[in-house]
Amino acid sequence: MPEGVDPAWLAPAALRAVGSRRTLIRGSGPLVETVHGEVAEACRRFGGRVVRDASDDGPYDLALGLGTEGPELLGEEGFTFACEGGTTTVTACGGRGLLYGLFHVVRLGEAAFSGERSPQTHRPALALRMLDHWDNVAVHPVMGQVERGYAGGSLFWEDGRARGDLERVRAYGRLLAACGINAISVNNVNVHAAEARLLTDRIGEVADIAYALRPYGIRTHLSVSFAAPITLGGLSTADPLDEVVRGWWAEATRRVYEAIPDFGGYVVKADSEGQPGPFAYGRSHSEGANLLAAAVEPFGGTVHWRAFVYDHRQDWRDRATDRARAAYDHFVPLDGEFAAGAVLQVKHGPMDFQVREPVSPLIGAMPRTRLAVELQVTQEYTGQQRHVCWLGPMWSEVLRFRQERGLPVGEVARGGLVAVSNVGDDPFWTGHPLAQANLYTFGRLAWQPDAEPGEVLDEWIGLTYPEASERLSAGLHSVLDGSWRTYEKYTAPLGVGFMVQPGHHYGPSVDGYEYSPWGTYHFADRDGIGVDRSVASGTGFAGQYGAPWAGLYESPDTCPDELLLFFHHVPYGHVLKSGKTVIQHIYDTHFEGVEEVGQARSVWASLAGLVDPARHARVSERYEEQLRGAREWRDQINSYFLRKSGVPDSRGRRIH
Ligand code: GCV
């Protein structure tokens, strides 16, 4: 780890069990060298020994090697793990598999070397496990270096260019490999002028980044502008059916692969929030995506085409237009029209990464399209890494959600699981040291979408605090386990969403988006609150789901409490399944949320001395801000609804 940088979930002591043993490494290739480097460094630190390709110097405690058996079962990334007769063995068919096998042993620690375990096979459920960086090459006047970034500057870009020293990028790749991530898109999906040129004359800078990430099995992807043939190529059109445009993309892509032979492909935000796209030429999104797919397919690349398409210039008076409907309305008619090299990348909810949303009905409604599901690790709407909000339980709910055909989202996402990264050049990587748990959890859930998030958190604790006492582990669980629900309690209620300050999205502003063109309304008046998305009387969004969800969401009687205001406009006196009225629920959860933050702050304070001082201090400082912020949310939300409804708190607490 570069000096001064937090080791995160590869604390040196996490490699003690491996580094104190005798290891044999068999095989060759760049990733085998990475494995060897990891083990050799651990041995240097902890007194073990590593041998290459020997057959006569055994026995070994650990044998890591490439084999030829079972490629159809293991693929490039799988491995077998066994512990028999005093030797722990990891065998893989490819270098990536061996690397993931090594990190499996690291995660198990001493347990990897005790007892007898017959061979187990491990392989990722999803082939693509990717992070999207919304990093700007040049500092953007409004969005800064990293759009929605809360951890300092970009790891990749500085002063308008790729960083000269990419040691930190290499260290990042190592951390990501340790949790199973295998792809990164290195620039913002909002492609500004400086980023656009990465595709052409500045591809060498991307190649340098790809070089730094490659030893950890990570492929590099690039966000591109649909208008590139015009802005970079000087053509008069970017029409996807124009032969000259097709030729331009083919040639530009050939050059990209010349510079980066294992390039992963393009990410495209088109006809979305002002980005150019095929609509300008009267073409469909499948025609747009297929243009780029045709360019990357000969090289084995993929186009990730984002489904985040909606009208961001909506008239708030127009009650018929519902942003939640947009992705489904645009894309479901195109099912079956996307080329094999195109992946449709869908945000997990129909709106925009709110603390609570239903799963997007688009996921599950396009069986003939390769879908990737997009999560947001950066905490744009969940406390911006100033608040603790561990999102593992929320993502797990999403990934286990089953739509009509019965498959969970984690299986429907055949095109991969993607997330917006939360790291920057902050020494703790993520601003809030506890936000590292979100990044780790994302990687592990992408590998195994049905994993128990609590067990993933145990792994993260074990790797980040390898010598943690039971008190420290229990304390970390206590502050993280319920933190998502706590955050939900003191912010926008019952799935209604937003109520944040416009622009930067931090802190409460109940009516901040109420009369805006962004389509994010709550419709609170003196009688009630919520958005009627029923088929019977509302926007019809509930009807985009299959059975049983369409029926459940359609009626306030069957709609789950936590999503009630997403689907229905109800009176403040409406009684929830919990037995409380909506207004009393709002008051109670906001008081409880603040109390829970106060309790978590005390638990954290009690861990002083068990956590290294710098980390402890950083988290303590952030808890002060979280408590201040939670109080602000409580007081604004409660006051707003007391004033609107005129209904007093049944418990007579002070509301401002
Ligand atoms: C990169 C939200 C964010 C934008 C982001 C957009 C997207 O609207 O606020 O910053 O733009 O999502 O996902 O494209």
Side-chain angles (χ1 to χ4, degrees), residues 134 147-148 189-190 269 273 306 308 347 352 380:
W134 287 352
E147 181 155 346
R148 312 307 180 188
V189 290
N190 290 329
K269 172 175 178 176
E273 300 185 334
R306 296 180 80 230
F308 186 57
K347 287 191 182 185
D352 196 10
E380 176 177 358

Side-chain angles (χ1 to χ4, degrees), residues 66 106 118 120-121 131 151 250 254 288-289 333 398-399 412 478 608 624 645:
L66 293 186
V106 170
S118 45
Q120 314 160 344
T121 300
L131 285 173
R254 190 189 63 71
V398 168
L399 293 168
V412 177
S478 149
E624 294 310 311
S645 70

Side-chain angles (χ1 to χ4, degrees), residues 31-271:
L31 271 79
V32 178
E33 292 314 313
T34 303
V35 169
H36 178 248
E38 284 290 331
V39 178
E41 172 56 25
C43 289
R44 192 190 57 72
R45 203 181 272 270
F46 296 108
R49 200 155 76 85
V50 57
V51 175
R52 292 296 293 270
D53 294 311
S55 54
D56 53 353
D57 194 24
Y60 300 96
D61 305 306
L62 176 61
L64 301 166
L66 293 186
T68 48
E69 273 174 41
E72 57 300 319
L73 187 67
L74 296 179
E76 157 71 18
E77 297 192 310
F79 59 89
T80 56
F81 169 86
C83 184
E84 287 166 324
T87 302
T88 296
T89 312
V90 170
T91 311
C93 296
R96 278 200 180 105
L98 200 63
L99 186 61
Y100 295 137
L102 167 66
F103 284 125
H104 180 73
V105 174
V106 170
R107 270 195 298 278
L108 290 173
E110 283 301 324
F113 300 96
S114 59
E116 291 284 305
R117 299 185 203 215
S118 45
Q120 314 160 344
T121 300
H122 296 261
R123 60 176 297 172
L126 302 172
L128 184 108
R129 306 172 301 278
M130 175 165 167
L131 285 173
D132 279 3
H133 277 257
W134 287 352
D135 295 17
N136 296 316
V137 173
V139 175
H140 184 272
V142 179
M143 291 300 173
Q145 183 86 63
V146 180
E147 181 155 346
R148 312 307 180 188
Y150 311 107
S154 167
L155 288 179
F156 308 119
W157 316 102
E158 190 182 40
D159 296 334
R161 296 203 66 76
R163 287 177 181 269
D165 178 0
L166 294 173
E167 200 194 342
R168 185 86 193 261
V169 172
R170 189 179 154 97
Y172 184 44
R174 178 172 177 255
L175 283 173
L176 298 186
C179 64
I181 290 164
N182 66 0
I184 295 185
S185 175
V186 294
N187 63 310
N188 194 354
V189 290
N190 290 329
V191 184
H192 310 292
E195 285 96 67
R197 287 178 44 220
L198 296 175
L199 173 64
T200 51
D201 53 316
R202 296 185 58 181
I203 192 65
E205 293 171 60
V206 184
D208 290 345
I209 294 170
Y211 181 81
L213 293 170
R214 192 171 291 121
Y216 286 96
I218 294 171
R219 286 173 89 179
T220 299
H221 298 237
L222 196 62
S223 292
V224 295
S225 164
F226 192 76
I230 302 173
T231 54
L232 301 174
L235 303 186
S236 59
T237 178
D239 184 346
L241 300 192
D242 184 297
E243 277 314 311
V244 181
V245 169
R246 298 177 80 78
W248 187 88
W249 277 109
E251 176 57 14
T253 304
R254 190 189 63 71
R255 286 172 192 268
V256 169
Y257 277 92
E258 216 167 68
I260 312 170
D262 58 351
F263 179 67
Y266 299 134
V267 179
V268 190
K269 172 175 178 176
D271 291 317

